[in-house]
Amino acid sequence: RKEVEQDPGPFNVPEGATVAFNCTYSNSASQSFFWYRQDCRKEPKLLMSVYSSGNEDGRFTAQLNRASQYISLLIRDSKLSDSATYLCVAQGWNYGGSQGNLIFGKGTKLSVKP
Amino acid sequence: DAGVTQSPTHLIKTRGQQVTLRCSPKSGHDTVSWYQQALGQGPQFIFQYYEEEERQRGNFPDRFSGHQFPNYSSELNVNALLLGDSALYLCASSLAPTRSDTQYFGPGTRLTVL
């Protein structure tokens, strides 16, 4: 079983639509969670961190459910510029308190059409 | 504020050759992590360097080795290249691994092995 799993898509949506991405992680010891955005042939860029209390950044809302080991990202009022691959990421902490490496899902491709 | 830089941007090698990729971290960062991203996959963690030592390692063979210099820059070396090593190699920098900190990615080096 993959450590971080997400639907690869593609999600093809019209401008203005609301779209939701889901992700599950297998390691219950994971401590931190993120959504990264990756444009075609570019590096991943941090979109937002994900907290248990849920957090919002403009049109983007992220949620974490530790009991279900489930992470979500909601994009409201989609723009053409939102077209990209969205990577779900988990990070653990190692014994001794050092930051663990990032574990990426395969990514979900979003295409927003006019 | 200089971000993460990597060189070269593209590289073509043949099977059995050796390659060295370079990374300079974001200003103020002292930790460098390397990731391999095959086509259609999420980035996979190779290793992390801090204080010129390899601190963590992912599931990669010994053909993958690295180094960190006193100025925090880093190199990734891959020996005896295989066709399957063709990928985008990403470098990410952050503050000391004992601190919870975002990892920032460089633009990557696209390696093609023929």
Side-chain angles (χ1 to χ4, degrees), chain A residues 5 21 27-28 40 44 49 80 84 110 113:
Chain A
E5 291 200 72
F21 302 140
N27 187 349
S28 59
C40 189
S49 300
L80 296 177
L110 171 66
K113 306 291 187 185

Side-chain angles (χ1 to χ4, degrees), chain A residues 36 38 43 94 99 106, chain B residues 37 56 97 99 101 103 106:
Chain A
Y36 275 75
Q38 187 171 28
E43 75 272 23
N94 298 317
Q99 193 186 84
K106 281 187 174 184
Chain B
Q37 186 174 23
Q56 297 180 59
R99 293 182 54 176
D101 186 52
Q103 292 191 22

